Amino acid sequence: MYQKTPKGWLKHWDFILIELICIQVSFVLAFFLRHGRWDMWYNDSYRNMALFLLIDDICVIYFLETFKNILKRGYYKELVYAFRHTVTVILLAIFYLYFTKQGEQISRITMLYCGLIHLFLSYSLRLLRKFRISRKMKKKGDRSLIIVSTMEHIEESIRSIQQHNYEFYKITGAVVIDDENSVGTEILGVPVVSSFKAAPEYICKSWVDEVYVVSKLTNPDVINVVKQISETGVTMHLSLAELTHIDDRPQIMEEIADQYVITTSIGYATTRQFFTKRVTDIIGGLVGSIFTILLAIIFGPIIMFSSPGGIFFTQERIGMNGKKFKIIKFRTMYKDAEERKKELMSQNNIQDGMMFKMDFDPRIIGNKILPDGTQKTGIGQFMRKHSIDEFPQFFNVLLGQMSLVGTRPPTVDEWEKYQLHHRARLATKPGITGMWQVSGRSDITDFEEVVKLDLKYITDWSLMMDVKILFKTIMVVFKGSGAK
């Protein structure tokens, strides 16, 4: 799922923190200049105004998107943004004084001083922070980017990203369209990772967040490969607008480095939506983590008594766009569960072995088949039935590796079997729950149906959809058919 301007005000949390400090410092200094003392916090009216200015500032940052594309702005444009921000904050503060009838308690000169000091501080510190970031821009990167271009333009394309890396890309590889012999070489320090025809398969099996295509899209072979890349669900930036139709997906005109591109993706989220989803994840992650600690106290000793070993289980999973991470769960299986999985593959309910699910899994702690054929369950089955084992994943949510709602992350061996269109379900951050889990998952044994549900979630995603899935999940858990 693609978020437009992902390096805007949300990503630059450091600018936000600086801004919030600036407004408070400005108000304290303004009070001192007007009254000649530092005891502002002992005055109820000024203390309330300081709190309002904090909330006021956050709202202005959110709705005016003050820090959107901040690294691309010059000195004059930055001054305009800083001035507009300051004026809006002070005007809202004045309206607050008017409606609360506190205008007589707070000096208007103080508010004027506050605005002037804030403009100076905010503008100066923004420039200072931008200068420091610009020095590190070439080295930093947390979003993997593959550059696809012809031999004629590949160096220019790589250099452009390196010199104007406003999006903080990590260029993990290059693909040369018209030179298969270049595979294994390096161009400006960037390895050529695949031939052009094999690029979709490479992208399917590697951690790739976005692909930047710099080529005229007139050759049928080029168009075919670009469409295959699109099928993987990866976000793609096209340097030219000649390709006007890719699977009815939305196309956005924007700027990457110093080039205008058309961006196409399987899903789309605005910066505000992304911010709201992340805040929800953090709140939910904190609450869930507290419950996890309590559950560990209760179930930890039972797990260790039933099966010697640790109470937590970690496993390498594939996250958004193929990035690997360690998922955390309460251990509900015996320690040799992974080794025994190979022996039980013949009993897998999921077709083609793309996922693993059994009606009665003997690897679960306490599960036994008695001599008379009766199936006996234990603590492991109880925890899985009520989704208790899932709670430690709230730590993954806090770390930003997962979301409350998303698609379930596959294991490495499952991921290695993916075809191109399967990879599209990794276009969003994996979730503790999702559409598949609340859509009668126990009855779904066809992996293609799972993929369809996941793609429906990604393409139709909205905040309200997440809310509905969360409520449905709670109902599913209370009914005792938790998701795995």
Side-chain angles (χ1 to χ4, degrees):
M1 183 180 294
Y2 181 65
Q3 177 210 350
K4 191 177 180 182
T5 61
K7 296 297 173 183
W9 63 272
L10 174 61
K11 179 64 180 180
H12 295 302
W13 59 268
D14 47 351
F15 282 100
I16 298 175
L17 181 60
I18 290 171
E19 171 60 35
L20 296 179
I21 293 174
C22 278
I23 194 64
Q24 294 299 305
V25 171
S26 299
F27 192 51
V28 171
L29 291 176
F31 179 86
F32 174 77
L33 290 176
R34 177 65 179 86
H35 300 284
R37 59 184 193 272
W38 298 99
D39 59 345
M40 184 195 79
W41 299 107
Y42 293 100
N43 185 298
D44 290 342
S45 297
Y46 279 92
R47 188 168 60 247
N48 292 337
M49 173 54 74
L51 178 59
F52 175 81
L53 284 173
L54 184 66
I55 299 172
D56 179 11
D57 209 22
I58 293 173
C59 291
V60 172
I61 292 171
Y62 183 86
F63 289 105
L64 293 188
E65 294 187 324
T66 303
F67 299 115
K68 177 181 178 180
N69 296 326
I70 188 171
L71 297 179
K72 300 180 182 180
R73 301 199 291 253
Y75 296 109
Y76 172 74
K77 194 169 184 180
E78 193 59 59
L79 178 61
V80 171
Y81 269 77
F83 178 79
R84 184 180 68 171
H85 181 97
T86 299
V87 169
T88 305
V89 169
I90 298 302
L91 284 177
L92 289 174
I94 292 173
F95 281 129
Y96 165 78
L97 291 176
Y98 174 77
F99 284 111
T100 58
K101 299 180 180 180
Q102 296 186 43
E104 296 181 359
Q105 283 76 32
I106 297 181
S107 169
R108 286 171 290 183
I109 296 298
T110 302
M111 299 308 300
L112 176 61
Y113 285 162
C114 179
L116 293 175
I117 296 171
H118 177 265
L119 178 60
F120 172 76
L121 286 178
S122 180
Y123 179 64
S124 301
L125 291 176
R126 287 186 197 192
L127 294 185
L128 179 61
R129 182 59 182 154
K130 286 170 65 173
F131 173 74
R132 296 189 65 181
I133 289 177
S134 64
R135 296 179 62 181
K136 300 178 180 179
M137 192 177 292
K138 295 181 181 180
K139 300 179 182 179
K140 288 192 174 182
D142 54 12
R143 294 159 65 200
S144 63
L145 179 74
I146 297 291
I147 298 179
V148 180
S149 185
T150 59
M151 181 57 75
E152 180 183 0
H153 298 293
I154 190 70
E155 285 193 17
E156 178 185 352
S157 302
I158 293 174
R159 188 178 292 110
S160 176
I161 296 293
Q162 291 175 337
Q163 294 178 352
H164 307 279
N165 195 12
Y166 303 118
E167 290 76 19
F168 287 81
Y169 286 120
K170 177 181 180 181
I171 307 177
T172 55
V175 174
V176 182
I177 293 176
D178 50 359
D179 187 359
E180 294 187 0
N181 296 325
S182 62
V183 179
T185 63
E186 288 191 354
I187 302 175
L188 298 179
V190 177
V192 179
V193 294
S194 170
S195 65
F196 182 56
K197 291 184 179 179
E201 187 67 22
Y202 175 84
I203 292 169
C204 181
K205 298 295 172 29
S206 305
W207 166 35
V208 180
D209 288 318
E210 300 176 28
V211 176
Y212 180 29
V213 181
V214 185
S215 173
K216 291 184 178 180
L217 302 174
T218 54
N219 187 315
D221 292 335
V222 174
I223 294 175
N224 181 53
V225 173
V226 168
K227 286 187 175 181
Q228 289 182 51
I229 294 175
S230 174
E231 189 178 356
T232 67
V234 70
T235 294
M236 187 162 50
H237 307 286
L238 307 174
S239 63
L240 297 174
E242 295 178 41
L243 188 63
T244 58
H245 179 76
I246 300 182
D247 296 336
D248 296 320
R249 295 176 184 175
Q251 296 182 354
I252 307 163
M253 178 69 76
E254 57 180 357
E255 191 176 0
I256 298 295
D258 58 349
Q259 301 291 324
Y260 283 100
V261 300
I262 282 182
T263 298
T264 179
S265 178
I266 188 174
Y268 169 79
T270 65
T271 302
R272 292 192 185 104
Q273 288 175 322
F274 184 84
F275 173 75
T276 305
K277 184 176 177 66
R278 183 58 188 147
V279 168
T280 303
D281 284 343
I282 291 174
I283 295 173
L286 286 171
V287 174
S289 296
I290 294 173
F291 277 104
T292 300
I293 294 172
L294 297 175
L295 291 170
I297 296 173
I298 298 171
F299 288 95
I302 302 176
I303 294 172
M304 290 188 291
F305 177 78
S306 302
S307 172
I311 66 172
F312 293 107
F313 167 75
T314 62
Q315 184 183 49
E316 192 170 57
R317 294 289 184 101
I318 307 301
M320 183 175 178
N321 294 326
K323 189 173 185 179
K324 296 179 180 179
F325 72 100
K326 294 284 188 178
I327 197 171
I328 310 170
K329 291 187 176 186
F330 281 124
R331 186 169 64 89
T332 58
M333 290 189 174
Y334 294 108
K335 295 187 69 174
D336 62 345
E338 286 301 309
E339 290 76 11
R340 295 173 63 186
K341 179 179 177 180
K342 298 177 181 179
E343 304 172 4
L344 299 170
M345 285 300 295
S346 61
Q347 301 178 48
N348 186 9
N349 290 340
I350 304 297
Q351 299 176 12
D352 302 323
M354 299 302 293
M355 301 176 75
F356 187 82
K357 173 178 166 49
M358 291 180 62
D359 293 328
F360 183 82
D361 195 335
R363 300 174 303 157
I364 297 175
I365 297 174
N367 278 12
K368 296 180 181 178
I369 299 179
L370 301 178
D372 61 358
T374 303
Q375 296 177 346
K376 178 183 177 297
T377 61
I379 185 62
Q381 192 68 41
F382 174 83
M383 293 178 68
R384 292 168 70 88
K385 180 179 180 181
H386 297 281
S387 296
I388 295 172
D389 62 318
E390 304 281 347
F391 272 82
Q393 292 172 56
F394 284 108
F395 292 121
N396 292 116
V397 173
L398 281 180
L399 292 172
Q401 299 164 333
M402 294 180 66
S403 178
L404 295 178
V405 183
T407 60
R408 289 302 290 163
T411 59
V412 175
D413 60 317
E414 292 168 351
W415 178 58
E416 290 173 347
K417 301 174 185 176
Y418 274 17
Q419 299 176 24
L420 294 182
H421 68 285
H422 296 153
R423 200 263 189 200
R425 67 187 298 265
L426 302 178
T428 191
K429 193 175 291 186
I432 295 178
T433 186
M435 185 172 288
W436 171 49
Q437 288 89 335
V438 299
S439 300
R441 64 173 293 273
S442 298
D443 301 325
I444 299 177
T445 59
D446 186 352
F447 181 67
E448 295 298 335
E449 290 299 318
V450 175
V451 174
K452 287 180 181 179
L453 285 171
D454 286 339
L455 296 188
K456 179 176 176 57
Y457 170 75
I458 297 172
T459 56
D460 298 342
W461 177 84
S462 69
L463 293 171
M464 187 53 64
M465 177 182 288
D466 276 4
V467 172
K468 291 179 180 178
I469 291 175
L470 285 172
F471 275 112
K472 286 184 179 180
T473 300
I474 294 173
M475 298 302 296
V476 169
V477 170
F478 277 125
K479 290 179 180 179
S481 55
K484 291 288 165 280

